[in-house]
Amino acid sequence: VAMNDLSFPGFPTFPVVHRWHIKHFGTLLPKQFVNQGGDPYLYELYSRFGAADWEVRCRLENTIGGDGDARYAKHNINWRGHILSMNLRNLKKIVNQN
């Protein structure tokens, strides 16, 4: 589930995932992630299986990071290629086993 972030409209932020994800992947995000891209990665990963939702009635505002300046150095990675493809394959394999 992604939240409706007033500081970054139209962007899936503050993901809420079930413990099932941690049980099967061993971690929230692949090791390549530093501090950027995790929210849309998780949303994209599960949206391919119809298992991502956007909670528009819940509104919050990220005052520390978000789309603008942050109190930390942002480290973006290219998660849309190999990282996403590899984990889509892993997720498909896990789902098919259950």
Side-chain angles (χ1 to χ4, degrees):
V1 176
M3 300 296 162
N4 184 17
D5 185 350
L6 299 175
S7 67
F8 209 162
F11 189 82
T13 60
F14 294 92
V16 177
V17 296
H18 194 271
R19 67 179 176 249
W20 184 95
H21 176 87
I22 304 295
K23 177 182 174 187
H24 291 285
F25 283 97
T27 184
L28 181 61
L29 297 168
K31 65 180 185 236
Q32 296 91 334
F33 286 87
V34 177
N35 64 10
Q36 295 291 291
D39 300 357
Y41 160 80
L42 289 168
Y43 190 83
E44 184 64 27
L45 181 68
Y46 284 103
S47 70
R48 303 284 183 99
F49 293 85
D53 196 12
W54 201 295
E55 183 48 66
V56 294
R57 294 171 299 180
C58 175
R59 289 185 226 128
L60 51 85
E61 185 171 4
N62 184 354
T63 60
I64 297 174
D67 193 23
D69 293 335
R71 63 182 164 93
Y72 52 85
K74 295 182 178 183
H75 298 280
N76 292 303
I77 65 165
N78 180 12
W79 56 265
R80 290 174 180 90
H82 176 70
I83 296 169
L84 180 61
S85 296
M86 179 180 61
N87 286 290
L88 282 168
R89 282 192 302 275
N90 290 343
L91 185 54
K92 185 176 182 178
K93 189 185 313 180
I94 293 165
V95 169
N96 287 337
Q97 289 173 356
N98 291 327

